[in-house]
Amino acid sequence: MIDPLALYMRRFLNFSDEELLRFKQFLKPTEIKKGEYFLQEGAICQNVLFIEEGLLRIYHLHNDKEIIRQFIFENSFFTEYESFLAQKPSFYFVEALEDCKALALHYKDLNALYDSSINFLRFGKMMAENVVQHVGHRYMSILRDDATTRYNNLIKERPKVLQRVPQYMIASYLGITPEALSRIRKNMAS
Amino acid sequence: MIDPLALYMRRFLNFSDEELLRFKQFLKPTEIKKGEYFLQEGAICQNVLFIEEGLLRIYHLHNDKEIIRQFIFENSFFTEYESFLAQKPSFYFVEALEDCKALALHYKDLNALYDSSINFLRFGKMMAENVVQHVGHRYMSILRDDATTRYNNLIKERPKVLQRVPQYMIASYLGITPEALSRIRKNMAS
DNA sequence: CGAGGCCTTGACCGCGGTCAATGCCCGTGG
DNA sequence: CCACGGGCATTGACCGCGGTCAAGGCCTCG
C-alpha cells in the first residue's frame, strides 16, 4: 500500500516501522476547504501539517497588499516556523488554494516525539536545515536576478505552480505586480 | 572567568560542564587575518566557526559583482550551511573584514557530537531554526520594503554594521549600489 | 444576460542602476 | 614635508525596470 508520509520521511532517515507507527498516532486528519484558513494573522500556529492533497499559500498583509511567501503542495510538511517555535502570534495568513487533506501534528506532541526518540530530533533538524537552504536560495535570487529571470527559474524549477496558481498570485510570489508579470510574458512570447 | 562560548550556548540550552568540556575538546583555535578567506568559491566548507573576535562577510560573485549575503560578528556561530551540510563545493566566499580569532569545529567532529549527546543535536536544531527565522525576515523585508526603509531598519537593528563596515559593502548587503545608498543618506539628512 | 474576477494593454512616473567626474582621506615614497 | 596615488564617498545626467492608474476584453457563473 502506498504511504506517501512514510516515503517522504524515509527519504531523509530510515525510520523503523515502530517509529513511524508511533509518529502516526499523534497525527490528526484534517480538511481545509478551498478559501479556508489554516492560520490567521495574530493566531498562534499550533500544528505542523503533512499535506496529503491540495495546495496552500502563506502570505503577509502589508498596507492592504498581499505578499505571498510560499506555495505549499501535497506530500510535504509545513508550519509557520516563527509562530510555531516561539508559540507566539503569527504575522502570516495560511490559506488553502485547493481543497486540502492533511495530517496535523500538535506542538506538544511534536515535542514529546523529540524527547522520545533521537531520530525524530534528527528529522526535525533536517527539516529546518532544508528550509534554510530553500529560503537562502530565494533570498539570493531576489538580490541577484531581475523579475524575468526569476519567472523563468520558477517555470524551470516549479512548473506545477504555473498550472495550479492564478497569475496574480505568482506575480506576488515573484515580488512584482500582475501588470509587470503580464508584460514579461508578452515579451517572452516574441 | 569570562567564557563567551559557554555563555552563548547556555542561552539556548543548559549544557552541563561536562558537555561543554567535551564540546571544547574538538575546537581548534584559528586566526583569519583581515583580507584572508575562511572559504572560497568551489571549496567545501569543512568547519563551523565560533567567532571570538573580528568580523566576516559572506558574499557571492555574480557577473563580477559581489552580492554580500551577511556580516558575521564576534560571539556567534557561523558556517556556510549549503556547502557544509552536503559537503559539496560552495558558491560563496567568506572573507575576514577584520582580524579574527575563532574556534573551528570540523564536520566529522560535529557529527560525532550529534551522536554522542542529544543536547548537541537539540542545539544544532535550534541553530538551524534560528537561521530560518533570520533569513525569513530578510527575505520578506526585501519583498516588502524599499531601500530607504531597509537602510533604516539596519540602523535600528544592527548599528554595529554601520560602524565597522565600509559603505559600499553595506550597499551591497542592502541590495543596492553605493551611489543609491549615498543618495538615500543625503535625503535622510534633510 | 449581467456581474464580477482575472488578464491585458497603454500612459505616465519614480526608484534605483549606470557611467563619468570630482572630492576627500590617508598611506607611501621621494 | 610634500607630492602622488589609490580607494571610497559623493554628485550629476541619463535611462530603464517595474509600479500605478485607468480602461478594456474575456471568462465563468449565477
Side-chain angles (χ1 to χ4, degrees):
Chain A
M1 195 205 114
I2 324 162
D3 182 348
L5 174 60
L7 275 177
Y8 182 92
M9 292 178 69
R10 285 191 165 137
R11 279 197 355 238
F12 291 89
L13 278 176
N14 61 341
F15 289 98
S16 68
D17 290 346
E18 184 276 327
E19 283 172 325
L20 284 181
L21 218 63
R22 187 144 42 86
F23 185 75
K24 287 178 182 171
Q25 284 175 355
F26 290 111
L27 300 180
K28 203 176 121 196
T30 310
E31 290 211 350
I32 313 170
K33 291 288 174 196
K34 178 175 177 171
E36 291 180 356
Y37 284 84
F38 164 65
L39 181 68
Q40 301 244 13
E41 185 181 19
I44 293 172
C45 184
Q46 305 273 7
N47 292 281
V48 173
L49 287 185
F50 181 79
I51 301 158
E52 299 180 300
E53 282 178 33
L55 169 55
L56 299 163
R57 65 165 178 157
I58 172 166
Y59 67 92
H60 175 60
L61 218 53
H62 181 70
N63 297 142
D64 298 331
K65 278 181 41 182
E66 296 175 356
I67 301 171
I68 298 181
R69 176 167 171 166
Q70 188 57 272
F71 302 109
I72 308 113
F73 287 83
E74 59 275 341
N75 295 322
S76 63
F77 280 97
F78 170 77
T79 192
E80 204 281 80
Y81 261 98
E82 211 170 318
S83 170
F84 183 81
L85 291 173
Q87 288 290 291
K88 68 179 187 192
S90 178
F91 297 108
Y92 296 93
F93 295 87
V94 179
E95 180 199 4
L97 296 181
E98 301 174 357
D99 292 349
C100 289
K101 287 185 188 174
L103 304 169
L105 174 56
H106 194 273
Y107 179 74
K108 64 172 178 9
D109 294 329
L110 177 58
N111 282 311
L113 281 165
Y114 283 154
D115 290 335
S116 81
S117 161
I118 198 170
N119 261 354
F120 293 119
L121 198 55
R122 288 195 182 108
F123 186 70
K125 172 169 157 289
M126 291 172 101
M127 291 297 98
E129 289 168 347
N130 247 29
V131 176
V132 167
Q133 296 202 20
H134 191 253
V135 183
H137 269 135
R138 300 255 308 290
Y139 177 74
M140 292 306 288
S141 174
I142 287 201
L143 287 184
R144 187 180 54 230
D145 306 326
D146 64 15
T148 303
T149 307
R150 296 205 297 282
Y151 180 61
N152 280 320
N153 288 343
L154 183 64
I155 293 174
K156 252 177 274 162
E157 289 160 21
R158 304 186 70 196
K160 255 187 267 184
V161 173
L162 298 222
Q163 293 154 19
R164 289 164 65 179
V165 175
Q167 214 163 293
Y168 73 97
M169 289 192 186
I170 294 175
S172 170
Y173 173 77
L174 292 173
I176 59 178
T177 58
E179 295 95 323
L181 179 53
S182 183
R183 281 185 215 113
I184 286 169
R185 287 162 50 83
K186 191 184 175 187
N187 290 336
M188 282 172 51
S190 60
Chain B
M1 195 204 116
I2 324 162
D3 182 348
L5 174 61
L7 275 177
Y8 182 92
M9 291 179 68
R10 284 189 166 137
R11 280 197 356 239
F12 291 89
L13 277 177
N14 62 341
F15 289 98
S16 69
D17 290 346
E18 185 274 326
E19 282 172 325
L20 285 181
L21 220 62
R22 188 144 42 88
F23 186 75
K24 288 178 183 170
Q25 283 175 357
F26 291 111
L27 300 180
K28 201 176 124 197
T30 311
E31 291 211 350
I32 312 170
K33 292 288 175 195
K34 179 174 176 171
E36 290 179 358
Y37 285 83
F38 165 64
L39 181 68
Q40 302 245 12
E41 186 182 17
I44 293 172
C45 185
Q46 304 275 6
N47 291 282
V48 173
L49 288 185
F50 182 79
I51 300 158
E52 298 180 302
E53 282 177 33
L55 170 55
L56 300 163
R57 65 165 177 155
I58 172 168
Y59 67 91
H60 174 61
L61 218 52
H62 182 70
N63 298 143
D64 298 330
K65 279 180 44 182
E66 296 175 357
I67 301 170
I68 296 181
R69 176 168 172 164
Q70 187 59 274
F71 302 109
I72 309 114
F73 287 84
E74 59 274 341
N75 295 322
S76 63
F77 280 98
F78 170 76
T79 192
E80 204 280 79
Y81 261 98
E82 211 170 316
S83 169
F84 183 80
L85 292 173
Q87 288 289 290
K88 68 178 187 191
S90 177
F91 297 108
Y92 295 93
F93 295 87
V94 179
E95 178 200 5
L97 295 181
E98 302 173 358
D99 292 349
C100 289
K101 287 185 188 171
L103 304 168
L105 174 58
H106 194 274
Y107 180 74
K108 65 174 176 8
D109 295 329
L110 177 57
N111 282 311
L113 280 165
Y114 283 154
D115 290 337
S116 81
S117 161
I118 196 167
N119 261 354
F120 293 118
L121 198 56
R122 287 196 181 107
F123 186 70
K125 173 169 155 291
M126 291 171 102
M127 292 296 100
E129 287 167 349
N130 247 29
V131 175
V132 168
Q133 296 202 21
H134 191 254
V135 182
H137 268 136
R138 301 254 308 290
Y139 178 74
M140 292 308 286
S141 174
I142 286 201
L143 286 184
R144 186 180 55 229
D145 306 325
D146 63 17
T148 304
T149 307
R150 296 205 299 280
Y151 181 61
N152 280 320
N153 288 343
L154 183 64
I155 293 174
K156 252 179 272 162
E157 289 159 21
R158 306 186 69 196
K160 255 186 267 182
V161 174
L162 298 223
Q163 293 154 19
R164 289 165 65 179
V165 175
Q167 214 163 291
Y168 73 97
M169 289 190 186
I170 295 174
S172 170
Y173 174 76
L174 292 172
I176 59 178
T177 59
E179 295 96 324
L181 179 53
S182 183
R183 282 185 214 113
I184 286 171
R185 286 162 51 82
K186 190 185 175 187
N187 290 337
M188 283 172 52
S190 60

